[in-house]
Amino acid sequence: MKGSFTTTGLRTPLIREGDDMAGILLRAALESSLGGFRNGDVLVIAESALATAEERVTCLDCVEPDEESIAMGERYDMDPRLVQVVREESDEIVGGIPGFLLSMTNGTLLPNAGVDGSNAPPGCVVPLPRDPDGSAKRIRKEIFRLCGAKIGVIVADSRTHAMRSGCSGVAIGCSGILAVIDARGRKDLFGRELEVTKLALADNLASAAEIVMGEADECTPAAVIRGLDVPIGDFEGIESIAADKCLFMGLIARRGDEGENY
């Protein structure tokens, strides 16, 4: 990879349900300082905008919470309708704090299953795209069809991290580039062989893009990273690990099995 690259935000009109994301982002790239997409570019797209275009917006007035959602809403001080949506989007509810449920969704641990009320119409929430990897692949293929540029595509979300204040970007969908680069076998500065190190490339690029995309009313739902010089090809998907192989989840599970309070 090169030592320098640029990150350029793509401003668009307000994304609405049913919009053609590939076409909108191509026009935004053409109208920006980038002059369009080039081979080797990496396009990072905010999950909320993509999910909106994919008609994932959910009106809470149309949600009928069941008894378990009502009980969980009382326990965690949440709207039971939101709890119902989160439960339907989750593979498993791990726990929670006031205002948030911690869930396992598509092999990822995240608050409220990624269901977000920001940048959603009043009274609505936006779940994650149903298939972020598939969405990234579809947009990558469509960009190539429209302009011939071979690019990588990342679908990005913003997440908090344990014991840290603030959010950073994380990739939830990836196509065209390797999401993780394996550095095992390389040498460190003192000649020791790296045994476990992997570079979370897609996550790092998602964080870089978040800086120019913003989280509020910027109307910048995507960014283009240019000059990185990473291989572009038929690479697909985010690399996850099993919960029992995860330092944090593994520790929680072991404490639970031992009957400890945490």
Side-chain angles (χ1 to χ4, degrees), residues 236-249:
E236 306 294 343
I238 297 297
E239 182 177 326
S240 298
I241 59 176
D244 61 355
K245 302 296 184 183
C246 172
L247 172 63
F248 304 107
M249 285 299 294

Side-chain angles (χ1 to χ4, degrees), residues 3-4 11 20 26 37 39 41 49-50 52 98 125 135 137 146 163 174 181 186 188 209 220 232-233 246 249 257:
S4 63
R11 290 183 60 85
D20 171 17
L26 176 57
F37 292 111
N39 289 341
D41 286 347
L50 180 59
T52 297
V125 293
S135 296
K137 181 177 181 179
L146 291 170
M163 309 299 292
C174 188
I181 295 177
R186 295 184 60 186
D188 71 7
T220 307
I232 302 292
C246 172
M249 285 299 294
D257 291 340

Side-chain angles (χ1 to χ4, degrees), residues 66-135:
D66 60 22
E67 292 183 1
E68 185 172 354
S69 292
I70 293 171
M72 293 181 74
E74 293 176 352
R75 180 178 180 184
Y76 294 111
D77 192 24
M78 295 176 61
D79 186 329
R81 301 172 300 175
L82 174 59
V83 172
Q84 183 70 33
V85 177
V86 170
R87 288 179 54 226
E88 291 174 356
E89 293 294 319
S90 301
D91 300 321
E92 178 185 359
I93 301 296
V94 178
I97 61 173
F100 296 93
L101 297 175
L102 188 61
S103 71
M104 288 291 294
T105 302
N106 296 326
T108 303
L109 188 67
L110 67 163
N112 284 352
V115 177
D116 198 353
S118 61
N119 293 314
C124 297
V125 293
V126 184
L128 297 177
R130 291 191 187 278
D131 178 11
D133 287 330
S135 296

